[in-house]
Amino acid sequence: MKSLKLAMRPAFFQMWRSQTVQLAKYGLFASIAAFLATAALAPLGSALIQDWSRRDVELRSTLVFNAVGMHLTGLLAANQRVQIDQLFERVASDARVVGVALCRGDGLPEYASKLMPSTLTCKGIARSEAESFSTLTVAGRRMLVGAFPISAREIAAHFIILHDLSYAEARGTEIRNYASALLVGIMFLSASLAVGLASYLARQWLKSFRAAVANAADTSIMATPGQIPGPFDSEIRKLLKKLDVSRNATDGEHVQWSKQALRNILNTDLPGVDVLVVANREPYIHNNGPSGIELQIPASGLVSALEPVMRACGGTWIAHGSGSADRQTVDANDRIDVPPVNPEYVLRRLWISEDEQDGYYYGLANEGLWPLCHIAFTRPIFREADWQTYKQVNERFADAVLDEAKSPSPIVLIQDYHFALLPQMIRARLPEATIITFWHIPWPNAETFGIFPWKEEVIQGLLGSSILGFHTQFHCNNFIESVDRFVESRIDREHATVCHRGNETSVRPYPISIEWPPEALASQDSVAACRKQVRNRLAVSDDTKLIVGIERFDYTKGVLDRMRAVDQLLIAHPEWKGRFVLLQAAAPSRSKLPAYSGLQEEAIRLADEINARYSDCGTAPIKLVIRHHEPAEVFELFRAADACVVSSLHDGMNLVAKEFVAARDDERGVLLLSSFAGASRELSEAIIINPYDAFAMGEALHQALTMPAPEQRERMRLMRARVSSRNVYRWAGQMLLDAARLRQKHRILRMASEPSQ
Ligand code: F6P
């Protein structure tokens, strides 16, 4: 799958950046053009001004001559020198006139006003028979010299008038400066306008980008009808849609989910991510045995599902160290690399005192929440002291998560009903963490859940999760109903999200499964060999039909009901007497609790009672084996059996059913499966039973024992295909893909809410 990171980030921001850069370029271009225009036009403007000023001065010179010419001619004719001097001084008194003179011949002027430059000779002044103008530089100043001929009454002379041109130059410079300042102003204004426009557009885009993200996030990628799309909307939708397309691609049945596929997801979609698992039960228990430290793999669906996932992902599994030799096998930080042979991840053990164990595990979790969530008609017990201990232990695990986290945003996979408060506690410590909580047991309807005294706290605790998973859609619906009834929040039923105190939780079904192919299968003998070995051990004939039931000794598993069904079978079909055995393997579990020890006693009593009833048949119909069975033994029993019975009164999923299917690579064997186990949603080719109906279950046992081989093959083939494709790597992979998408979505929302620069 293509990396989401690669898909999203560049597209939005390249777009924004390229538009801004484009506008900035326009601004720069306009500024340079304005500058060049200023540089080019300023000298031209100055020349025009000077030319215009000179013509103005020429006109003034002509006007002066026209005004005084006649009078001067008269004075010259009368040789009135004093009046001529006075006239010249009067004319020269004009501010712009430097001086006036009269030239006859080439020597010094005959008359000259006082300020007429003394160096000026008539020879140096261009004269002609018509008025003429020339320029001269006198004492560093530019002068316009006007020469007007006087030729009347035998007088031949030129009236000379000098104007200072420096004022025109000053005017030109002044105008050039004004023009430059004006152009610089225009340049500045146009650049500011361009930048302003660019930032306005950028802000508009950003605004529409945010709206589009919010809209896309809210509408789960689909456009709201009638909505006018912003410039980013379609782009964002396309990209977010890509995320969904990639989900569909990886969700599809055609994807072969494997350890490697899971690793690929981590590498491409969550590169370098820190994975932490929190589960009460540890995957490897070290106990002191008669021959030293012994390793035990617990009988736990949770462990058999999660352990292969951890082997694929690496990371740290934080669990209660419950083995008698657990402390001896950890390092100074309470860590141990596991599996013991070829370690692939770290197990961090947390020590819980006996009192804590009584309150948190036995009390609140297993006498309170367990019977509350399973409809098995065992009354839950709620004690305030247990609740307080449960809270304290959850806090301790939250601290351990903080200890083990290598980054502020790890992916934390919280397992089960032992940690209902932990999601919120981790959210408070690591707000950036992606918290995936998986509830391995059913979630009851809101009415049933309503009897739990701390219902609000538990719901709020769980709503600290980013993703909350259940096995089935039915349990998701029950949870959402409970939220609706007991907690103030915003529920989006279409997208199955709950928003509570600013945190959004996706509530999704992730049907748990098993490793495919299971590791325990690798070391198995042929089915024929297994059949023989097991029958030899049981001391029954080779043709004795064998039905197995394997689980923890738990009142939810319907062990007693299964025994009653055997009784019914033998009543209704006596031909099976002496030819059939139910091998019930039951691992002692939570035996400290009266409900469990009582069940064990009751099971022994009932098995004895039924066996006694058929004692004359040679083979006792029920063989009850109360001990822990290692996975290899379990798989041998599965392969040896003609049928496997899973008669849970209520079960989140039940992995025994899936393991039985996985063990039967010979495509034989019949599965009897309770309709109250989550697995019945997926394994519909099993014989579906109602454990409360002993008679019907007896008939189902008969059907299993008499099912023709082709029908067994047909059913088993379909179930194997389903379990192989919907294996535990898919379970984990879908959660991790959803986590990757969430992290991506949060990154986008964070980027959109960051202040624009
Ligand atoms: O069904 C819930 C569950 O956690 C299972 O996954 C597992 O098989 C069982 O309970 C284990 O119980 P415990 O850890 O108490 O032995």
Side-chain angles (χ1 to χ4, degrees):
M1 188 188 146
K2 201 180 162 200
S3 166
L4 310 178
K5 189 176 168 188
L6 286 176
M8 300 294 291
R9 185 192 281 265
F12 298 136
F13 287 92
Q14 266 172 22
M15 207 170 173
W16 178 81
R17 208 178 292 142
S18 76
Q19 297 289 352
T20 311
V21 166
Q22 197 73 2
L23 279 162
K25 271 188 199 161
Y26 288 147
L28 190 69
F29 179 74
S31 307
I32 291 172
F35 177 77
L36 289 177
T38 308
L41 293 177
L44 187 67
S46 158
L48 279 172
I49 298 297
Q50 282 186 36
D51 191 45
W52 170 73
S53 302
R54 180 190 160 119
R55 270 190 281 115
D56 181 43
V57 172
E58 284 175 3
L59 195 65
R60 290 172 62 86
S61 301
T62 305
L63 281 174
V64 170
F65 177 69
N66 289 344
V68 300
M70 287 288 285
H71 183 47
L72 178 62
T73 307
L75 291 176
L76 281 171
N79 200 24
Q80 292 186 322
R81 301 190 71 85
V82 177
Q83 281 86 348
I84 291 172
D85 284 338
Q86 286 171 348
L87 176 68
F88 276 23
E89 287 310 324
R90 257 201 327 273
V91 172
S93 66
D94 186 304
R96 284 178 224 169
V97 175
V98 176
V100 288
L102 188 84
C103 278
R104 265 197 258 234
D106 288 338
L108 287 170
E110 193 180 331
Y111 294 94
S113 60
K114 281 184 192 133
L115 294 179
M116 194 71 177
S118 57
T119 52
L120 195 75
T121 62
C122 292
K123 194 179 177 186
I125 296 170
R127 288 164 294 163
S128 70
E129 285 177 8
E131 61 179 36
S132 62
F133 296 96
S134 59
T135 50
L136 277 179
T137 302
V138 181
R141 290 159 75 197
R142 275 188 16 101
M143 311 269 180
L144 180 82
V145 184
F148 299 89
I150 300 172
S151 49
R153 301 184 203 167
E154 295 169 2
I155 299 164
H158 279 87
F159 176 72
I160 307 298
I161 181 163
L162 252 71
H163 273 93
D164 189 352
L165 274 184
S166 61
Y167 93 94
E169 279 168 1
R171 184 190 280 177
T173 308
E174 203 176 311
I175 286 179
R176 193 174 56 217
N177 288 347
Y178 278 130
S180 301
L182 189 71
L183 284 170
V184 165
I186 290 171
M187 190 175 86
F188 180 74
L189 204 70
S190 60
S192 310
L193 270 175
V195 170
L197 190 65
S199 79
Y200 170 75
L201 287 177
R203 255 182 281 123
Q204 286 300 104
W205 279 326
L206 209 55
K207 212 167 121 189
S208 95
F209 165 69
R210 282 180 189 143
V213 168
N215 183 37
D218 269 10
T219 57
S220 196
I221 302 151
M222 298 306 294
T224 310
Q227 187 181 336
I228 302 162
F232 276 130
D233 280 28
S234 61
E235 204 59 34
I236 289 166
R237 285 213 179 84
K238 259 188 261 160
L239 287 165
L240 290 181
K241 198 163 191 169
K242 230 188 220 173
L243 304 186
D244 242 32
V245 168
S246 53
R247 173 183 182 151
N248 293 340
T250 42
D251 282 357
E253 294 283 322
H254 60 277
V255 174
Q256 189 50 54
W257 284 96
S258 62
K259 194 171 178 177
Q260 193 49 47
L262 199 59
R263 281 189 177 141
N264 291 346
I265 285 174
L266 283 167
N267 290 340
T268 52
D269 294 298
L270 295 160
V273 76
D274 188 14
V275 178
L276 297 168
V277 164
V278 186
N280 173 69
R281 188 60 65 200
E282 56 183 338
Y284 296 94
I285 304 177
H286 288 97
N287 284 317
N288 287 310
S291 50
I293 293 179
E294 289 168 1
L295 182 72
Q296 186 197 337
I297 295 169
S300 158
L302 182 153
V303 168
S304 54
L306 214 60
E307 212 276 333
V309 171
M310 281 305 275
R311 276 191 271 124
C313 301
T316 304
W317 180 320
I318 305 169
H320 166 214
S322 57
S324 54
D326 272 354
R327 284 180 196 262
Q328 287 159 254
T329 45
V330 291
D331 66 13
N333 298 309
D334 300 328
R335 296 187 191 126
I336 175 172
D337 290 340
V338 288
V341 181
N342 300 329
E344 289 179 283
Y345 63 98
V346 173
L347 168 61
R348 158 78 195 273
R349 285 174 174 151
L350 202 107
W351 316 115
I352 296 176
S353 70
E354 213 163 316
D355 283 351
E356 284 176 323
Q357 181 75 337
D358 284 347
Y360 139 82
Y361 173 78
Y362 286 110
L364 200 283
N366 286 314
E367 286 192 300
L369 286 169
W370 180 271
L372 175 75
C373 293
H374 289 92
I375 307 168
F377 305 97
T378 298
R379 186 185 164 126
I381 300 168
F382 308 125
R383 297 180 200 94
E384 175 63 28
D386 292 349
W387 171 245
Q388 294 306 332
T389 311
Y390 183 85
K391 284 202 281 190
Q392 281 160 24
V393 174
N394 273 240
E395 290 282 4
R396 293 194 49 209
F397 273 90
D399 290 339
V401 168
L402 198 63
D403 268 5
E404 297 297 328
K406 295 181 188 77
S407 75
S409 55
I411 291 192
V412 188
L413 295 151
I414 300 175
Q415 307 302 311
D416 234 343
Y417 59 101
H418 310 92
F419 299 116
L421 304 177
L422 191 55
Q424 192 57 57
M425 292 172 177
I426 295 177
R427 176 70 59 224
R429 287 162 172 83
L430 293 167
E432 300 292 306
T434 304
I435 304 170
I436 306 175
T437 305
F438 193 78
W439 193 262
H440 288 257
I441 61 177
W443 188 276
N445 63 39
E447 205 166 0
T448 303
F449 189 70
I451 68 167
F452 188 64
W454 308 282
K455 50 187 172 291
E456 293 89 356
E457 286 96 321
V458 158
I459 292 175
Q460 283 164 357
L462 289 169
L463 290 178
S465 314
S466 318
I467 297 171
L468 175 58
F470 295 92
H471 293 298
T472 65
Q473 185 60 54
F474 189 61
H475 298 150
C476 294
N477 297 347
N478 279 351
F479 177 77
I480 289 182
E481 284 315 314
S482 302
V483 174
D484 198 11
R485 196 173 297 189
F486 303 118
V487 166
E488 206 169 301
S489 64
R490 185 161 55 83
I491 298 173
D492 177 344
R493 286 174 198 274
E494 193 188 348
H495 302 108
T497 56
V498 178
C499 199
H500 174 68
R501 294 188 186 155
N503 185 63
E504 189 177 82
T505 305
S506 297
V507 183
R508 299 264 154 82
Y510 300 96
I512 203 169
S513 195
I514 55 164
E515 176 182 26
W516 189 278
E519 202 187 19
L521 195 59
S523 56
Q524 291 298 317
D525 289 332
S526 68
V527 166
C530 291
R531 288 180 72 89
K532 203 164 176 47
Q533 285 152 19
V534 170
R535 281 170 179 74
N536 282 346
R537 275 207 302 275
L538 290 173
V540 296
S541 63
D542 283 357
D543 60 350
T544 302
K545 292 280 186 182
L546 175 67
I547 294 185
V548 293
I550 304 177
E551 50 255 306
R552 286 180 309 106
F553 231 137
D554 194 298
Y555 53 80
T556 61
K557 302 295 179 186
V559 175
L560 302 180
D561 305 271
R562 183 177 312 175
M563 292 180 181
R564 289 186 195 112
V566 167
D567 197 17
Q568 279 298 325
L569 167 77
L570 298 177
I571 293 168
H573 302 278
E575 68 271 23
W576 291 113
K577 286 180 189 171
R579 294 178 50 221
F580 153 86
V581 170
L582 166 70
L583 172 62
Q584 179 60 56
S589 171
R590 308 169 191 168
S591 314
K592 202 173 179 180
L593 299 178
Y596 286 79
S597 51
L599 170 77
Q600 203 162 312
E601 284 159 21
E602 177 65 6
I604 295 169
R605 195 201 55 74
L606 185 62
D608 287 348
E609 183 191 307
I610 294 171
N611 284 340
R613 211 173 295 151
Y614 302 99
S615 58
D616 56 340
C617 305
T619 301
I622 298 173
K623 175 95 176 125
L624 182 58
V625 185
I626 305 177
R627 69 167 174 85
H628 172 75
H629 287 68
E630 287 298 326
E633 290 180 272
V634 171
F635 272 73
E636 187 194 36
L637 290 179
F638 284 147
R639 286 166 78 75
D642 294 288
C644 171
V645 59
V646 173
S647 55
S648 311
L649 303 180
H650 202 191
D651 219 332
M653 173 56 70
N654 193 291
L655 293 183
V656 169
K658 293 188 176 181
E659 281 171 347
F660 174 67
V661 167
R664 298 315 297 259
D665 50 9
D666 62 334
E667 297 178 342
R668 294 289 296 273
V670 180
L671 175 65
L672 295 111
L673 179 57
S674 164
S675 64
F676 309 122
S680 67
R681 306 288 181 282
E682 292 179 273
L683 302 177
S684 51
E685 293 79 15
I687 297 178
I688 303 297
I689 52 175
N690 174 1
Y692 290 94
D693 185 345
F695 178 79
M697 202 172 11
E699 288 305 300
L701 290 173
H702 177 68
Q703 185 191 350
L705 295 172
T706 54
M707 187 179 285
E711 186 182 342
Q712 290 183 30
R713 183 164 296 120
E714 200 57 36
R715 289 175 184 250
M716 189 54 85
R717 222 175 245 174
L718 288 167
M719 290 192 287
R720 284 176 61 79
R722 194 150 310 122
V723 178
S724 81
S725 61
R726 297 182 172 214
N727 57 39
V728 78
Y729 301 113
R730 177 180 184 261
W731 172 73
Q734 286 186 327
M735 286 194 284
L736 291 176
L737 277 177
D738 284 348
R741 272 187 285 271
L742 265 187
R743 286 162 86 91
Q744 186 65 32
K745 184 174 148 185
H746 288 156
R747 263 197 295 274
I748 295 168
L749 293 173
R750 237 191 342 263
M751 285 189 274
S753 66
E754 271 163 14
S756 46
Q757 291 148 14

